[in-house]
Every structure is written in C-alpha cells, then in structure tokens.
Amino acid sequence: MSAPEPTIVATSGGLRLGDRTRVAFDALAHHAVELSGVHGRRPRVMYVGTAIGDDEHFAARIGEAARVAGFDLTPLQLFPMPNIEDIEATVLDQDVVWVMGGSVANLLAVWRVHGLDTILRTAWQAGVVLTGVSAGSICWFQGGTTDSFGPELRPVTDALGFLPYGNGVHYDSDEGRRPLVHRLVADGTLPLTHCTDDGVGLVYRGTELVEAVSEAPGKGAYIVSRAGDRAVEERVEPRRLP
C-alpha cells in the first residue's frame, strides 16, 4: 500500500511519555500511518535518527514504542556506516519514514553524502509517507530556524526543498523561534513559512497544505507571509486528533 499522493506530515510532536515505556508514539505519528493507507497487516515504519547521531539508547526506546504501537520498525542507521545494504529498496518498502529531531544541519550533510536525499524524494513520489519532528520536519522544506550551530538560533536555507516553504517548529515553546521567523520572512531569507506549536502537525498532499492537525488542546499552526518589509502572521486552527 502507499498514499494516493505524495504525502508529508511535518510536526512539532508525535512522541510522548509512555505508560509502560519511556517513549510512545502519539497521535501525529499514528495519523501519518493512517494516511499511508495500510490495512490488513502491521504498518512498516522506518525510524531515522541521523539528527541525534543514531543514538543507540534512543533507538531502543523507539523500538519499544513501535512494539506497543503495533508497528514493524526498521531503523536506518548511517553511523558508523549504513546498517542496510540496499537503502533505496528498503525505504521504498516502507509505509512511513519517521525522522527524529536534533541537528537538521548535520542530518542534511550526512543524508547527502549517502544519497538519502535523492532516495527520500523517490519514496515521497512513490507514496511513502514522510514525517518527523523538529529537524524531521524542517528537512522537507526550503529551510527554517535551527539551533544546529549553537544555542543562538540561526537560519538554515539549504534543506531538501520537497515543499516550497519555510518551516518554523516549536513555535510556542522556544521563545526565540517566532521573532526569528518573522525577521527571516520579512527580509526574504525564508519564503512563505508554515509554523507549528508543539503537538501540531501539517499535512501536505503534493506541495499543497491540506490540513493542520493536533494531538494537544489549545495549540495552533501559523502561516507567516511577507508584506512589503514586514511579516504578517495568520493562525490556522488545527483539527484535534483522537
């Protein structure tokens, strides 16, 4: 099975504390699986932890989260070498690719060395749902705001560009993100930019934003556009996921 159109779910969420495990997949991750159209078998989900250096302890926690969720999980590790011989075939065999947050700058560099950027574009076009949190959201866009280079937030503008927008994550929880997005849109560093509070995801069919969804109450999504030499912000009310 595959999604009927190229589909991305870009989020500032998707994980929570588990009841019996340290980490559990939350509603945004389950929604991405639903959008893949899989039925009659366990969903095949690939976990990509490049942005945190393929941390083995966290990968184990994700493995437990997948067991509880009923997913067949395949971790893709690129450190110290790829753990999969045929990466493209394995990626294309998935229903969903879920990308962990961390350093989006490092993620992009390592993916390009291994050709994963091209493989993921092929998978997206083939109907594999692409999703993730934070760096795993920004990577699909033109760019966004990041702490990849140090504590002070800076722009990244050389992301994969599957979606022709900027992306602002953790819009309500990191006080520096919103004003920086506004400055970067106002001066043209970022194009029209789509932003998410923690717990919110944006669903794209092809390159069109079709819906904002949320796993937490009272949260919002935002579209920041340029008007002359200033930025204008529009709130998008998300649909609350069960």
Side-chain angles (χ1 to χ4, degrees), residues 17-158:
L17 292 175
D19 297 323
R20 293 181 179 274
T21 59
R22 293 286 187 91
V23 175
F25 284 110
D26 211 341
L28 288 170
H30 285 277
H31 188 56
V33 171
E34 291 169 6
L35 292 174
S36 74
V38 62
H39 63 270
R41 59 168 173 80
R42 290 165 62 91
R44 292 191 289 266
V45 177
M46 174 171 280
Y47 165 69
V48 185
T50 317
I52 53 171
D54 290 335
D55 181 275
E56 293 180 1
H57 296 290
F58 196 80
R61 293 177 181 178
I62 289 291
E64 280 293 286
R67 178 186 59 79
V68 171
F71 302 160
D72 281 343
L73 191 78
T74 298
L76 174 60
Q77 300 164 356
L78 300 176
F79 295 95
M81 67 176 69
N83 65 323
I84 295 168
E85 184 172 357
D86 192 336
I87 296 176
E88 182 169 7
T90 306
V91 170
L92 288 170
D93 193 45
Q94 306 303 306
D95 300 303
V96 174
V97 172
W98 195 91
V99 180
M100 182 56 191
S103 172
V104 69
N106 291 352
L107 172 154
L108 291 167
V110 174
W111 283 6
R112 284 171 171 142
V113 165
H114 291 278
L116 188 57
D117 53 339
T118 302
I119 291 170
L120 287 169
R121 181 179 287 275
T122 300
W124 173 56
Q125 293 169 340
V128 178
V129 175
L130 306 180
T131 187
V133 57
S134 194
S137 175
I138 296 169
C139 61
W140 314 120
F141 293 81
Q142 296 287 333
T145 59
T146 181
D147 56 6
S148 295
F149 307 105
E152 183 177 348
L153 291 168
R154 289 171 53 181
V156 59
T157 57
D158 64 342

Side-chain angles (χ1 to χ4, degrees), residues 1-22:
M1 295 297 297
S2 61
E5 299 176 71
T7 302
I8 290 174
V9 184
T11 87
S12 290
L15 294 177
R16 62 175 175 82
L17 292 175
D19 297 323
R20 293 181 179 274
T21 59
R22 293 286 187 91

